[in-house]
């Protein structure tokens, strides 16, 4: 079969022949129609993601959309290694195949599932978001962050604060549900003052897609300005701005901040699948918006380096390409 294959860590996937999978017990063979690039997929391709096993070669991609042998259309996740979603056929455990609503098209489902699940699961499984609470999304101008703003509104957040570096994208977030936007391009003293103003008014949940310096400033500002022993749930999801931070111990001793992560390993897989199913059912009725760039899988070597955080690159596979 044809597939996008990674031969070595850090290399761009190539479109080549790969051994067709043979179905094992409790597996389904999914005939793939669409699969998207995500931050997780990029990290696993480079061999830097914490879930990578660094066994090469392998077919790239952790999730996608396709049909089972009986014709049912499904979203699937985590095919059996070394297979991935960016191939004509993917072997997937049957419980990892989620039926798709008829009104949700293949490209949108493939594009929205991973980035949307990141915040849906963080809100519901980790932060336990309650209606009326205030949410701050750090790094809201990327695909995942934009969905985090929309999903927060859908789940009943009372106030939504969004941070980011792109001025135009921040402006667009106001139309998607953000009540306050904060530019991360301002100098550190002004940025910390902007954070302090928000924490003085009250923030219940922080979803952090960036880590790095902005996360440091957020945590320090929260500790300084939050009301006495007011709980703040800080959920770390991505590390686009850096893998490490310097956090004074006094930040945690002097505040009621709960610092946690959300991702593969912090939430049981069955609950991650359930969160994804809920998201997919809500996508069309709730009008969630996600920008996409569509390309045939055969163009993977060209499209891969052009992928960016503003639009999700979705590969169409097989007869769908």
């Amino acid at each position: 079969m044809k597939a996008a294959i990674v031969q070595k860590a850090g290399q761009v996937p190539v479109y080549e022949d790969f051994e067709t999978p043979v179905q094992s017990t409790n597996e389904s063979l999914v005939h793939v129609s669409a699969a998207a690039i995500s931050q997780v997929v990029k990290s696993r391709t480079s061999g830097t993601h914490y879930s990578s096993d660094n066994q090469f070669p392998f077919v790239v991609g952790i999730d996608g959309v396709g049909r089972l042998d009986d014709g049912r259309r499904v979203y699937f996740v985590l095919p059996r290694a070394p297979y991935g979603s960016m191939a004509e056929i993917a072997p997937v455990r049957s419980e990892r195949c989620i039926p798709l609503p008829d009104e949700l098209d293949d490209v949108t489902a493939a594009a929205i599932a991973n980035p949307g699940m990141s915040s849906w699961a963080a809100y519901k499984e980790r932060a336990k978001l309650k209606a009326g609470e205030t949410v701050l999304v750090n790094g809201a101008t990327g695909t995942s962050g934009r969905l985090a703003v929309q999903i927060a509104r859908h789940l009943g957040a009372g106030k939504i604060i969004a941070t980011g570096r792109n001025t135009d994208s921040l402006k667009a977030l106001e139309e998607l549900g953000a009540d306050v936007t904060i530019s991360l391009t301002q100098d550190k003293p002004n940025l910390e003052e902007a954070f302090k103003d928000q924490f003085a008014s009250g923030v219940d949940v922080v979803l952090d897609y960036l880590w790095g310096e902005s996360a440091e400033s957020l945590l320090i500002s929260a500790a300084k300005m939050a009301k006495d022993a007011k709980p703040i749930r800080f959920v770390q999801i991505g590390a686009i701005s850096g893998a490490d931070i310097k956090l004074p111990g006094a930040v945690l001793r002097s505040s009621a901040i709960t610092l946690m992560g959300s991702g593969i390993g912090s939430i049981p897989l069955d609950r991650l699948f359930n969160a994804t199913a809920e998201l997919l059912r809500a996508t069309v009725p709730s009008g969630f918006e996600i920008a996409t760039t569509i390309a045939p899988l055969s163009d993977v070597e060209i499209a891969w380096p052009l992928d960016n955080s503003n639009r999700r690159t979705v590969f169409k596979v097989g007869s769908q390409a």
Side-chain angles (χ1 to χ4, degrees), residues 216-234:
E216 290 179 13
S217 295
L218 277 169
L219 286 162
I220 292 170
S221 298
K224 288 180 178 179
M225 302 305 297
K227 296 178 181 178
D228 187 38
K230 183 187 186 306
I232 299 172
R233 290 100 76 197
F234 191 105

Side-chain angles (χ1 to χ4, degrees), residues 125-190:
E125 293 287 342
R126 302 296 280 156
K128 307 294 185 184
L129 178 67
K130 302 178 182 67
E133 290 189 315
T134 295
V135 170
L136 188 154
V137 180
N138 189 38
T141 53
T143 298
S144 297
R146 288 195 298 273
L147 284 168
V149 169
Q150 297 174 69
I151 290 168
R153 183 65 72 205
H154 169 78
L155 295 176
K159 179 182 178 181
I160 303 170
I161 306 155
T163 80
R165 302 185 65 84
N166 187 299
T167 302
D168 292 337
S169 296
L170 279 175
K171 184 67 177 177
L173 285 171
E174 296 174 6
E175 298 178 4
L176 294 177
D179 300 291
V180 177
T181 59
I182 298 173
S183 172
L184 296 177
T185 61
Q186 55 193 310
D187 60 48
K188 189 171 183 178
N190 285 330

Side-chain angles (χ1 to χ4, degrees), residues 58-208:
F58 68 88
V59 178
V60 73
I62 64 167
D63 65 339
V65 170
R67 290 188 181 273
L68 304 180
D69 287 335
D70 62 9
R72 284 181 295 159
R73 203 166 57 99
V74 297
Y75 166 79
F76 66 91
V77 63
L78 298 177
R80 166 170 46 95
Y83 297 99
S85 59
M86 295 183 187
E88 292 177 323
I89 300 173
V92 186
R93 291 184 64 87
S94 298
E95 66 270 20
R96 298 178 182 177
C97 296
I98 299 170
L100 284 175
D102 291 340
E103 65 273 17
L104 182 59
D105 67 271
D106 289 7
V107 168
T108 301
I112 206 169
N114 181 274
M117 178 276 295
S118 73
S119 57
W120 191 287
Y123 287 135
K124 299 196 74 173
E125 293 287 342
R126 302 296 280 156
K128 307 294 185 184
L129 178 67
K130 302 178 182 67
E133 290 189 315
T134 295
V135 170
L136 188 154
V137 180
N138 189 38
T141 53
T143 298
S144 297
R146 288 195 298 273
L147 284 168
V149 169
Q150 297 174 69
I151 290 168
R153 183 65 72 205
H154 169 78
L155 295 176
K159 179 182 178 181
I160 303 170
I161 306 155
T163 80
R165 302 185 65 84
N166 187 299
T167 302
D168 292 337
S169 296
L170 279 175
K171 184 67 177 177
L173 285 171
E174 296 174 6
E175 298 178 4
L176 294 177
D179 300 291
V180 177
T181 59
I182 298 173
S183 172
L184 296 177
T185 61
Q186 55 193 310
D187 60 48
K188 189 171 183 178
N190 285 330
L191 181 60
E192 289 186 351
E193 285 303 312
F195 286 161
K196 287 178 182 178
D197 287 344
Q198 297 306 317
F199 283 108
S201 299
V203 174
D204 301 290
V205 174
V206 176
L207 257 59
D208 172 54

